[in-house]
Amino acid sequence: MENIAFSHSKADEISPLTLAFVGDGVYDLLVREYLVRQANRSVGELNKLKVSFVNCKSQAVFAKAVLPSLNDKELSIYKRGRNAAPKCTPKNGSVSDYHSATGLEALFGYLYLNNDKQRIYDIFDMILSISESSSYILK
């Protein structure tokens, strides 16, 4: 597969909702890989666990927790995503949580398009640490 990494200037020109579109896929794949590596489970159980990571409420909790560790550029990307005006409204969560989740997804999309895989893994490791200490994730 061809390397699709952009230069930082090119990635900065992409709309925050487009970054979130990419980031949603990146984040979802990271969660799926993590869950499959944990144990051999049924697909139904895997999906239930996945949803506990990818719902907007959980992503909002994770976003709030990782914010202090973001650099200025990453914080700017998160805020662009959070402040974007999506065309849809959340079905199972607050508007505030939905915006925070969109910000987190935009950050993952930006890092992916800039081929900053190590930073993606660093942030995802923080999320895993948070999920393991959280009362409603993987419990």
Side-chain angles (χ1 to χ4, degrees):
M1 176 182 264
E2 182 181 330
N3 184 354
I4 62 167
F6 294 118
S7 68
H8 283 284
S9 61
K10 176 78 171 162
D12 287 330
E13 296 170 10
I14 297 173
S15 80
L17 293 178
T18 302
L19 292 175
F21 172 78
V22 172
D24 177 57
V26 172
Y27 180 75
D28 189 77
L29 185 58
L30 288 168
V31 168
R32 288 171 186 250
E33 179 182 351
Y34 168 74
L35 293 173
V36 167
R37 290 178 185 273
Q38 293 302 300
N40 189 16
R41 299 177 169 114
S42 71
V43 173
E45 187 178 353
L46 287 168
N47 192 58
K48 182 179 176 183
L49 291 170
K50 178 193 70 108
V51 169
S52 73
F53 273 94
V54 301
N55 68 67
C56 67
K57 182 178 179 182
S58 295
Q59 286 182 321
V61 169
F62 299 147
K64 183 177 180 182
V66 302
L67 281 178
S69 67
L70 301 181
N71 64 39
D72 290 341
K73 182 62 180 176
E74 293 166 345
L75 185 59
S76 172
I77 296 298
Y78 166 79
K79 287 180 178 179
R80 282 180 56 212
R82 181 197 64 197
N83 296 335
K87 301 270 187 244
C88 55
T89 57
K91 294 178 214 157
N92 300 312
S94 72
V95 171
S96 174
D97 286 350
Y98 189 75
H99 284 279
S100 292
T102 303
L104 184 66
E105 291 170 348
L107 176 61
F108 273 98
Y110 179 83
L111 293 171
Y112 179 80
L113 291 175
N114 280 313
N115 205 29
D116 197 346
K117 292 177 184 161
Q118 186 56 55
R119 188 61 177 149
I120 290 170
Y121 294 136
D122 292 344
I123 293 171
F124 191 68
D125 284 344
M126 287 182 244
I127 288 171
L128 293 178
S129 295
I130 296 159
S131 74
E132 291 167 1
S133 64
S134 179
S135 62
Y136 66 92
I137 305 290
L138 294 180
K139 301 286 183 193

